[in-house]
Amino acid sequence: MLMNKNSGPSNGEAKLQYGPSGFRVLRAGNHVFCAMSGVPIPLDELRYWSVEHQEAYASAQLATERMAP
């Protein structure tokens, strides 16, 4: 996880830029929402995302479903 000077402990939804091996915090927060299920994902538990779609997923299964043709 890459953090910038504007990130830090904060409540609410974070805004992230997803990269191939990590993400950058654009707006501080403590979670993001899964693009498939809508459940909140704490940043320290975020493991699955799409660089192409710039969205997060709560599980490997949901990420796989999203990437299916």
Side-chain angles (χ1 to χ4, degrees), residues 34 36-39 48 56-68:
C34 175
M36 295 288 289
S37 67
V39 300
Y48 309 101
Y57 310 107
S59 70
Q61 179 180 347
L62 290 170
T64 301
E65 288 175 20
R66 172 67 168 105
M67 301 304 159

Side-chain angles (χ1 to χ4, degrees), residues 44-56:
D44 60 347
E45 296 177 19
L46 178 58
R47 303 286 183 269
Y48 309 101
W49 60 81
S50 167
V51 175
E52 179 182 355
H53 299 289
Q54 288 295 296
E55 54 190 27

